[in-house]
Amino acid sequence: MNKVAMGLALALAASAFAGHPQTINKEGFVGVNKTQSAQSLGHSKLVFTLLGDATFGNDMFPNNDNGMGALYEAQLDANGNPVLANAPVADFVGGSANIGFAIGIWHYFDLGVTLPVYYDQFTAEGKYLDGLGGSATIPNTKVGYVGNLKVDLKARFPLPEDQVFDIAVFGGVTAGTANAEKQGLWIREPEYINKTNGAALAFGTKNTTIKGGLAITMDASKLDGGDGFPFLLHLNGGYRYTMNSDYMSLPFMSAAAEVYFMDFMSVFVEYYWDIQLDDFEACTTNPVDGSKVCGKNRDGKLDMNQLTGALVFHLPVGVDLHMGASYYLGGDKFITASTLQSSGREGGVVVERIRVNPEYTVYGGITWSGFLLAQDRDGDGVTDDEDKCPDDVGHRLNQGCPLGNPDADEDGVCDAWVAEKGFESEFAEVCEGVDQCPNEAGEGDDGCPLDNPDADGDGVCDAWVSQKKMLKKFANVCEGIDDCPAQAGSPAFNGCPTKQPDPDGDGLCSPWVTDEGAMNEFADICKGYDMCPGEAGSAANKGCAWDDPDADNDGLCDPWVTEKKMGFYFEKAAEDEAMAKEWFIDKSCKGIDKCPTELGPATNEGCPLGNPDTDKDGLCDPWVTEKNMLEQYDGICAGVDKCPTEAGEAFAQGCPMESPDPDGDSLCSPWVTKQKMLDQFAEMCRGYDRCELEAGPEWNKGCPIEDDPDPDKDGVCSEWVATKKLQKEFESVCTGIDRCPDEPGDDGHGCPKKAVEKLDGVTFKSGKATLESNAKKILQNVAKKLVNEDSYKDLKIVIQGHTDNVGKEKTNQKLSENRAKEVMKVLTKAGVKKDRIKAIGMGSSCPVDDNSTAEGREMNRRIEMHFVTPDNDGTQCESNLVQ
């Protein structure tokens, strides 16, 4: 069952998603010790806790006040009358452990369950009262049991994540699961005290307690955009209400500070205060006569405040280790007449006075926490393990990072990145299209500013307004189409000073001629339909002027000329003035320009030529050959340069001649062989270097060896030397195979000499060479080590038998030899080869202790395992005893 539980725990830890470090308190929530943080665990975070306190000594009992503070045990005399035994408390030990789990529900709620486990141990010794005399002893008493089960809930206010302050409310219910018959002396909680009579149950009552409070946390790490100092301050205040009015109900408050020095280590200090509001009665009952005396607690209200400090180590996979201590800050305030029940003691045990808080306690324990689901702390739908910007709300298509403004100039046309990232649908309500002028607001479909729609200010729109179908857009500025855009006119005459059938004189009629059906009337002036009535143009271009046919002025026509099949006209225009005039051609060209924006010769298809010999080594750059221009540059360069940007030699195809042996290992670089120049460099190198930039031996073809053949410099070769059959190459450096390649050794196998090993536990029946049963098991483990471990498996061994000096020397010698042989026999049966092991008897000749004492003689009766080295055959006595 334990193995199954351990397997489930390991599987859970391995599958949980790691989170940023948070200290967990005794209730399984974010916080320290008893203080709650206003921060929450987070969605699906699971926590297991084992945290507690321990105290030692009896400082809680004032055993110097006329017997007050002692244990009083009711006994019966021979006549059946009760008698009291007064026995002061001594050797008190107490411990508490809070075992529980908690889970984060969404991002704002945490639920936890905790079960305390308590343990007290004490003794007491004194005298019987009432003049009977004699001693009374309450023997070593050990009491342990569970406390009251607690269920807690925390709710965090949904404030912004970057807010420095967090606020939460917390509460809980404690059920009476403690056993009134199994109680100790250390009162764990003040609500276990009956305020009507001062009696208390240390481990808990059967009462239900309700707790509620408020937590405020300041997180300084959120300052400066999340780059602040990792410091947290927690403030708590609340109230614990006990459903039974006879028991104490009280407010509490605490303050704690945490500092995260590193991701894996933090320290906290906590001040915690339980505040007693109501006095309680303390009643003392005399078991002899039954009389009872009641009054207020002798020391007044209890002073219950303490300071706790601890260091927390945040280990991988969510494991935290807590180590610290608590110190009681209050004065010596004791409960008078506190009755505690002790199982198995007739009449119970009475403690007249006891303090609620020990002066010192040790605090510590372990917690584990991890997320069961991958987190999305910025809430953008991209889990943190895939989110490139986990703290900033972003877009799933941008790896969780925020997107930029899709329309920076706010002209309704999307910036180019929107289309590039395929976000058109995401921003359909903001913008559309692709903005060619993203930095300035435009009015056109391309997002660029438009020209003046009415340049001459006559209320008639320039032609481009109609061409771009934007008449409605500029309806409040102009209308119609201006036949005379360069001079103000009348809307009645289409923007011209007077109504003209062909205002630009290109022989094509203004649109109004067609619209008014007056083509025949002006047949001798114009014909056709002029798409650009305000500027002269060719009929082939619908009355509009031609674009520049040769933008870079290199004499070659731009691609659009060919696309519009106008090459013939622009080529002949230079020779035929009448054709140029007829077709309104001001500039001629021929051919096709492959680089219309760069000036270049016709021989290079209108593209600019580069330097034919950039590195000036006499060899032509590759483009010269590619363009069949070698003859054109004859006398300047020849051939083809394989390294056009750096000067080189002709035999190396224009590349610089490298050093024939750049790594200095006396083997020639490959180019020497390829250029058939081995004889030329015979004095510098030879052969063929496969690793021309790394020095290496000739037997390894010029490449460096993988590793040092003897890294620990003990003269024994690393294993790879034998694997690659290179023993001869390194025979002047090392020999053999090193079983300990990382440390120098002198045992003949590359390992440090093994010290003599006394085979403890290998014992024999008295005066015989017969092994005890447990000795064989020990020797089997020794054999496994000799056979399997690298540093042992090639060593030769000498088993030495030794005796004390009792008896005859000859007898001792024979006995020690037989015992050594018996050990050797067991080892060889267990797998140790016979040629590795030898057995000898040393008798009593090599003691390690004084034979005059029983202890010394026992030390001398021994079996030792010695290891043979080049300078020690393992048969010598190696005792340091001076006799």
Side-chain angles (χ1 to χ4, degrees), residues 299-418:
D299 295 328
K301 294 179 180 177
L302 298 177
D303 193 2
M304 299 172 289
N305 49 7
Q306 65 180 16
L307 189 68
T308 302
L311 187 65
V312 183
F313 295 94
H314 305 276
L315 305 181
V317 296
V319 175
D320 290 357
L321 297 178
H322 297 234
M323 294 186 293
S326 298
Y327 176 68
Y328 171 57
L329 297 175
D332 286 338
K333 300 292 185 69
F334 298 88
I335 303 174
T336 302
S338 176
T339 302
L340 296 95
Q341 300 297 321
S342 180
S343 177
R345 298 191 181 282
E346 183 180 357
V349 175
V350 179
V351 177
E352 284 295 327
R353 302 186 71 205
I354 184 173
R355 187 168 62 200
V356 175
N357 298 93
E359 185 173 3
Y360 296 99
T361 59
V362 177
Y363 164 81
I366 185 171
T367 67
W368 176 88
S369 60
F371 290 104
L372 301 181
L373 302 175
Q375 296 299 288
D376 177 21
R377 59 179 180 264
D378 57 10
D380 59 5
V382 183
T383 57
D384 291 346
D385 56 330
E386 298 179 354
D387 198 334
K388 297 293 185 181
C389 304
D391 296 311
D392 299 300
V393 177
H395 196 282
R396 60 182 177 79
L397 297 179
N398 201 34
Q399 296 181 298
C401 290
L403 296 170
N405 188 338
D407 182 16
D409 54 13
E410 299 182 353
D411 58 5
V413 184
C414 298
D415 292 353
W417 66 264
V418 176

Side-chain angles (χ1 to χ4, degrees), residues 459-479:
V460 184
C461 299
D462 291 352
W464 67 263
V465 178
S466 176
Q467 294 169 1
K468 294 188 176 184
K469 299 179 181 180
M470 301 182 73
L471 286 170
K472 288 185 179 181
K473 182 176 184 63
F474 295 109
N476 60 339
V477 178
C478 59
E479 61 182 356

Side-chain angles (χ1 to χ4, degrees), residues 54 156 208 433 435 518 565 746 762 766 782 810:
R156 178 171 69 93
T208 299
D435 199 335
K565 300 179 180 180
D746 51 4
V762 178
S766 180
V782 172
K810 185 175 180 180

Side-chain angles (χ1 to χ4, degrees), residues 836-882:
R836 291 182 56 198
I837 191 167
K838 178 180 179 181
I840 64 171
M842 303 291 284
S844 60
S845 64
C846 186
V848 292
D849 207 338
D850 189 353
N851 274 309
S852 64
T853 66
E855 293 81 1
R857 289 191 296 276
E858 184 178 355
M859 292 294 293
N860 290 331
R861 295 191 296 272
R862 67 194 188 277
I863 294 292
E864 293 179 343
M865 184 164 60
H866 293 242
F867 301 94
V868 178
T869 64
D871 56 358
N872 186 346
D873 63 1
T875 62
Q876 293 89 353
C877 172
E878 295 192 24
S879 172
N880 295 322
L881 180 66
V882 178

